[in-house]
Amino acid sequence: MSQMALPLQLADHAVFASFLATGNEALVSSLKAIADGSERSGGYCWGAAATGKSHLLQAVCERAGDESVYLPMTMLANASPEVLQGLANRRLVCIDDIDTVAGQPAWELALFALYNQSVESATCLLVSASAAPRRAGFELADLQSRLSQLPVYRLNGLDDDATRAALQLRASHRGLDLPDDTAQFLLGRQRRDMASLYQLLDQLDAAALQAKRRLTIPFVKQVLGES
């Protein structure tokens, strides 16, 4: 997807179909419009850890195809800011966890230049962060100002019912049946952030495939080593 010699492959599960939009319907609708090209103003998407920011940015790029490029800053923070050069010739640039490089002068200058180039070339710029633009730790006032000019969206977390539904949606997307009682059992005994729950689901998926078993509570207990 990217012309850079970097491992920026999208996760195969990170698509809109596997993301529960409950509480974030307007945001998801706007991101789909950005992916389809009908919305060109870009956006700044922020929220707490494990609320789905990376999932959504990758879903946008999956939907947009080769016209887009996805840059996870947690992977690129130790690389040279030169990786941003030439990106403004894409229709859509998605920068995930942009605040990872907040406070690093070389990166902030490169991001400021990319923003200005994207305006000149009508490139759509979509970024994610853990905080709003003026609280994300950027020291370059001009960059902070430019990012604040993007449409700002806050990604809301899920309540217990929605978390269970999101886990079941991910299971269904993988071809698994996750009964209500099993899903509730997992929520009562494991960390409730979605990243941890999805990792657990991957583990259960592999175990169920090998054992040719359904995701019942007794089987999940067996996999987790519980009596």
Side-chain angles (χ1 to χ4, degrees), residues 30-31 33-35 37-44 91-93 115 118-119 122-127 146-153:
S30 295
L31 294 182
I34 289 173
S38 57
E39 172 58 64
R40 302 299 298 270
S41 58
Y44 183 107
R91 176 179 72 82
L92 172 62
V93 176
Y115 183 99
S118 69
V119 172
T123 295
C124 184
L125 185 62
L126 176 64
V127 307
R146 297 298 191 279
L147 293 176
S148 298
Q149 293 174 19
L150 293 171
V152 177
Y153 306 98

Side-chain angles (χ1 to χ4, degrees), residues 26-109:
L27 167 60
V28 172
S29 178
S30 295
L31 294 182
K32 287 180 178 179
I34 289 173
D36 294 338
S38 57
E39 172 58 64
R40 302 299 298 270
S41 58
Y44 183 107
C45 178
W46 70 277
T51 50
K53 300 184 295 295
S54 296
H55 185 136
L56 286 173
L57 260 66
Q58 291 185 64
V60 168
C61 287
E62 187 277 335
R63 186 160 175 148
D66 289 340
E67 294 181 317
S68 66
V69 60
Y70 172 75
L71 293 98
M73 295 312 301
T74 53
M75 289 177 56
L76 301 179
N78 293 325
S80 167
E82 292 180 359
V83 299
L84 301 181
Q85 292 181 2
L87 293 184
N89 59 12
R90 297 293 185 99
R91 176 179 72 82
L92 172 62
V93 176
C94 294
I95 304 178
D96 198 9
D97 295 313
I98 191 173
D99 52 334
T100 300
V101 295
Q104 299 184 35
W107 272 107
E108 291 199 11
L109 286 170

Side-chain angles (χ1 to χ4, degrees), residues 24 54 76 82 96 126 132 146 185 194-196 198 203 217 223:
N24 295 294
S54 296
L76 301 179
E82 292 180 359
D96 198 9
L126 176 64
R146 297 298 191 279
F185 172 83
M194 297 311 300
S196 298
Y198 289 158
Q203 177 186 353
I217 291 179
V223 174

Side-chain angles (χ1 to χ4, degrees), residues 167-189:
L167 192 59
Q168 290 176 309
L169 176 62
R170 177 67 67 89
S172 176
H173 188 73
R174 298 185 66 113
L176 292 171
D177 176 36
L178 184 62
D180 289 342
D181 58 346
T182 305
Q184 192 60 47
F185 172 83
L186 293 175
L187 293 180
R189 285 160 176 78

